Amino acid sequence: MQDLDAIGELLRHPQTILITTHQNPDADAMGSSLGLAAYLKKRGHRVTVVTPTDYPQNLYWLAGNSEVIAFEEKIRTTVIQLMMEADLIFCLDFSTLDRIRELGPMVRQARAKKILIDHHLEPESFAELGLWDPTAAATAQLIFRLIVGLGDKDLIDVPMAECLYAGLMTDTGSFRHGNTTGDVHRMAAELLDLKIDVSSIHRRIFDNTSLDKLRMLGYVLNEKLVVLPEYKFAYITLSAEELKRFRSKTGDTEGLVNYALSVEGVVMAAILIDRGEEIRMSFRSVGEFSVRELASTHFNGGGHRNAAGGRSRLSLRETEDWLLSIIPRYQHQLAEAV
């Protein structure tokens, strides 16, 4: 889905535009949304960014953050009105409407033309136009392509570049994951040419940790990390009570699964978190083992080959037991993955 010319035609005249992204937005989701918003405002459009949930405080420094509307029930009427007024709705960094929770039905029913910009597999066919590329490392990369493709590279300023760089850096694991390509580095180089402070961006995202989060990390590594070397698998579980004990906030569990994956000999890792209404699961892998296939087959999830998510309506213990019961089926694939 590459509708660059059609999108450009829609943007020739001032429009009322709403941008949204997935629940619990990460740096790519927010960097892409705020980078696009800044660009569209420079083009003379009226733009609002609405997120389906709140997001981590280490992203509040991104330019435009103060104008973001995070959905909550008490402002439902306001958000519905914004949806009704919008001429265009940009949907960034998600492929299915269930990823934006209560905003999903609103987007589906809105009269606005929907534009999907995303890099996840198997997009739902709710958008009329889009820039979709599952080989892209980050949605921020697609926003950069959009701006450059429309001949507006000169409109990218330092705050906008910081937003896009944040998305690109985090979704490539600080440029160490397999999705780090020559195009990724070329985009990073062009953003660097604008004199952005990459050390500051990295520090504000990764070296801005609360004491509660650090203490939870210590607890997780000491008490909750389970390694099954015979399957090259490691996992973590966190109950609602444990989250409460460490006063966990949005984003505090982000990246914990990567510690499990970093154990020597581990090919696949998972974290299971009790969020009350359901168990949220994140999977990571290295090499050719597809956690996306595992998540979509068994846990109503999806994502990328080496990074995927899932969910379960069972209890935390029942979900853990179910996961452990299916891992032996993948023993051969895990053994051959690297």
Side-chain angles (χ1 to χ4, degrees), residues 27-87:
D28 188 29
M30 294 310 302
S32 298
S33 297
L34 292 172
L36 177 62
Y39 164 68
L40 293 173
K41 288 175 182 177
K42 283 192 172 187
R43 288 281 305 268
H45 303 288
R46 178 187 173 198
V47 186
T48 305
V49 176
V50 179
T51 61
T53 63
D54 62 355
Y55 47 94
Q57 292 184 9
N58 66 345
L59 301 178
Y60 286 5
W61 62 271
L62 291 168
N65 168 76
S66 62
E67 299 176 5
V68 174
I69 298 174
F71 178 82
E72 51 186 326
E73 192 59 38
K74 66 182 180 182
I75 61 168
R76 175 181 288 272
T77 300
T78 299
V79 174
I80 291 174
Q81 185 65 31
L82 288 169
M83 294 277 185
M84 292 174 59
E85 293 174 354
D87 301 308

Side-chain angles (χ1 to χ4, degrees), residues 212-227:
D212 285 331
K213 181 177 178 179
L214 280 176
R215 286 176 170 156
M216 182 170 68
L217 172 61
Y219 170 75
V220 164
L221 296 180
N222 190 53
E223 303 288 341
K224 303 297 294 186
L225 176 60
V226 179
V227 181

Side-chain angles (χ1 to χ4, degrees), residues 252-300:
D252 278 0
T253 59
E254 185 78 21
L256 287 179
V257 67
N258 295 323
Y259 286 95
L261 189 63
S262 71
V263 175
E264 183 180 5
V266 167
V267 169
M268 172 189 164
I271 186 168
L272 289 65
I273 303 174
D274 186 351
R275 294 297 187 185
E277 72 278 6
E278 63 184 8
I279 307 303
R280 300 278 176 82
M281 312 173 72
S282 290
F283 301 94
R284 298 291 185 272
S285 66
V286 295
E288 296 301 315
F289 185 79
S290 174
V291 287
R292 175 186 170 275
E293 187 276 330
L294 184 147
S296 63
T297 300
H298 302 287
F299 296 105
N300 191 33

